[in-house]
Amino acid sequence: MKIVNYGSINLDHVYQVDHIVQPGETLLAADQNLFCGGKGLNQSIALAKAGAEIFHAGVVGEDGDILLDALRAAKVDITHIRRAPGASAHTVIQVDRKGQNCIIVFSGENMRPSEADIDRVLADFAPGDAVLMQNELFNTPLMMRKAAEKGLAIIFNPSPVSREMLSYPLETVSWFLLNEIEGEALTGETDPGRILDVLAKKFPNGSVVLTLGANGAWAMDRGHRFFQPAFEVQAVDTTAAGDTFTGFFLAGISSGMPIPDALRRAAFASSIAVSRKGAADSIPTAEEVSLAE
Ligand code: RIB
């Protein structure tokens, strides 16, 4: 099974702040860094570092060398990334002294994959392969529909949440990978057990991973539920913790690892990611995960 990740590729401008800026407030940042990021790029790198063969599909701008280099260095296949005129998508990220973040994403029109891009990508994949997507890239529902028509398995991380995503063809999704905010957006529920109950009812063919930060993670697959506690760690920067979890979990299950083992490895990998600065840079290798586990 080949996995293609239809995902965002961003330049992250990260500002270290005392607290997340309030409406009307001006805040001095203590530090500023430029990192490679994007939920898509982070998840591809996490999958590759966890040992999966992963193809990335997306768009970068004229300033995208650093992003392509990061993907290439992690051994992600970048054949399906189109180079477009203009600046790559970027983010403004604040990280506070507890390691919590808030993120604004901007991608110009040139960075939007077209229907022709989607058709070109899908031409290289066959029934039985899988497409991973987040909700950060233009034309996500179109990719979902076309991939499902072609018989690809759909793995969806509904992040960031949008109102429009409720009208996506979500019945085609095989795996939902979400946190409690995304779970609430899809179900209207806040309690983790209720989120799983409603998802099971709405999407009987979909399996679920529900991450709860320091409160652990649940997986639900064909009527079975599994719980994984979080590993305790001093958080430095939580950016890409969820992406790391997603990549390690998917790499695990796609290699035939039992769900409880894949959950444990993903939780451990993401605990390492939150102890480091940056997005893609914070993702550990499989060796680091297995040595420290
Ligand atoms: O999930 C973290 C990522 O979200 C960051 O790298 C940023 O680019 C945004 O896409």
Side-chain angles (χ1 to χ4, degrees):
M1 177 181 82
K2 293 199 288 186
I3 305 176
V4 57
N5 183 6
Y6 179 76
S8 59
I9 307 172
N10 302 337
L11 288 167
D12 287 348
H13 295 267
V14 181
Y15 298 85
Q16 195 68 47
V17 290
D18 176 74
H19 57 273
I20 305 298
V21 72
Q22 301 296 302
E25 184 184 15
T26 301
L27 197 58
L28 296 180
D31 197 10
Q32 190 265 340
N33 285 290
L34 179 67
F35 290 116
C36 295
K39 293 179 197 308
L41 175 143
N42 299 337
Q43 292 179 18
S44 282
I45 289 183
L47 270 148
K49 285 188 167 181
E53 190 189 11
I54 175 80
F55 299 77
H56 195 102
V59 184
V60 292
E62 290 157 24
D63 53 0
D65 284 347
I66 181 180
L67 298 160
L68 295 175
D69 287 348
L71 287 159
R72 224 184 268 116
K75 303 208 167 25
V76 176
D77 186 299
I78 57 169
T79 322
H80 295 289
I81 298 178
R82 179 166 61 80
R83 194 78 176 235
S88 297
H90 78 273
T91 63
V92 174
I93 302 183
Q94 299 175 50
V95 178
D96 73 12
R97 65 193 141 77
K98 292 186 190 139
Q100 298 300 319
N101 65 34
C102 69
I103 305 178
I104 297 173
V105 188
F106 178 74
S107 54
E109 265 182 45
N110 286 353
M111 297 306 116
R112 297 179 177 176
S114 62
E115 183 164 3
D117 289 327
I118 289 175
D119 291 340
R120 251 192 315 273
V121 170
L122 287 177
D124 277 357
F125 295 87
D129 292 337
V131 60
L132 165 64
M133 53 194 109
Q134 308 76 33
N135 194 27
E136 210 166 55
L137 208 51
F138 188 68
N139 267 336
T140 293
L142 183 65
M143 172 55 112
M144 208 174 258
R145 201 166 295 116
K146 288 196 169 219
E149 276 164 18
K150 191 157 181 181
L152 270 67
I154 314 280
I155 304 159
F156 185 44
N157 167 221
S159 177
V161 161
S162 67
R163 204 172 306 132
E164 296 75 41
M165 90 190 175
L166 295 174
S167 60
Y168 291 4
L170 297 177
E171 68 287 352
T172 63
V173 174
S174 306
W175 274 96
F176 291 93
L177 299 152
L178 35 73
N179 64 21
E180 65 264 60
I181 295 170
E182 294 139 16
E184 182 181 358
L186 285 184
T187 64
E189 299 287 347
T190 52
D191 173 72
R194 288 290 305 142
I195 291 175
L196 293 177
D197 292 343
V198 175
L199 287 173
K201 207 162 172 200
K202 275 175 105 168
F203 308 110
N205 299 322
S207 300
V208 179
V209 169
L210 176 63
T211 56
L212 306 168
N215 293 323
W218 283 97
M220 177 173 70
D221 180 44
R222 284 167 278 184
H224 299 285
R225 292 187 185 188
F226 309 88
F227 179 69
Q228 171 63 50
F231 290 87
E232 264 185 49
V233 70
Q234 182 69 43
V236 171
D237 181 353
T238 53
T239 313
D243 300 330
T244 303
F245 195 108
T246 293
F248 272 76
F249 180 78
L250 287 179
I253 58 162
S254 64
S255 71
M257 194 181 272
I259 288 176
D261 296 354
L263 272 183
R264 182 181 159 79
R265 198 167 75 127
F268 197 73
S270 92
S271 76
I272 297 177
V274 301
S275 70
R276 298 175 176 170
K277 282 189 177 181
D281 287 353
S282 71
I283 301 169
T285 61
E287 292 72 41
E288 287 176 297
V289 174
S290 55
L291 278 179
E293 218 176 350

